[in-house]
Amino acid sequence: AGPLAAQAVYKAVMFGAFSTASASLPPLTPTGIGADSPPLTAVAARAYACGVFAGAINSLVVCPVELVRNRLMVQQHHLQHQHQHQQRRGQDASRAPRHRARVFSGALDCVRQTVRNEPGGPLALWKGLGSTAMLVAHC
């Protein structure tokens, strides 16, 4: 349910930003003799501009969430790999020394540590904004 709820929020932000951008632009009017609709290039350019704006806003919202999600996933993968390695070597995983303990106890702890320990403070949550923007833009 979590990923589905996150996608609902992301899409709501995307469509809301697109709608806001579209409403803030002047209306397209028909041009030329006998024209009853605006030129297709003007319609496409308007949709593209609104999409760029919506993608940028969505990236600002998504980036901190993606950063935390990725850090927690990497941490979990590392811990599972370490446990499997200890089992293959015949070590009791509960008694074996841990080379790297769990770094984050959860999502809020990840946010707290990122803000506290990384350069930029709260702005550190937007590390990877460029990559996130390209992902959202499907480049």
Side-chain angles (χ1 to χ4, degrees):
L4 186 60
Q7 284 300 314
V9 171
Y10 298 162
K11 299 305 180 201
V13 169
M14 183 77 84
F15 287 122
F18 186 93
S19 176
T20 299
S22 184
S24 68
L25 294 174
L28 292 174
T29 56
T31 57
I33 298 173
D36 58 354
S37 63
L40 185 57
T41 54
V43 173
R46 180 188 186 101
Y48 181 79
C50 293
V52 167
F53 175 77
I57 297 299
N58 195 45
S59 294
L60 290 172
V61 171
V62 169
C63 191
V65 175
E66 290 293 312
L67 179 107
V68 169
R69 183 181 65 86
N70 288 336
R71 289 184 177 187
L72 291 173
M73 284 175 40
V74 167
Q75 170 183 272
Q76 185 62 31
H77 175 74
H78 175 76
L79 291 173
Q80 287 173 347
H81 178 68
Q82 180 180 345
H83 178 74
Q84 290 169 352
H85 178 70
Q86 289 169 346
Q87 284 180 332
R88 279 193 301 262
R89 294 184 69 203
Q91 297 175 340
D92 180 6
S94 64
R95 297 176 141 207
R98 290 189 180 249
H99 300 289
R100 182 176 173 200
R102 184 177 298 273
V103 177
F104 307 113
S105 61
L108 290 177
D109 184 50
C110 182
V111 169
R112 190 175 316 124
Q113 287 191 45
T114 300
V115 169
R116 183 182 305 141
N117 300 331
E118 295 189 24
L123 293 177
L125 292 170
W126 281 269
K127 277 185 178 178
L129 179 60
S131 300
T132 301
M134 285 193 289
L135 174 71
V136 170
H138 302 290
C139 290

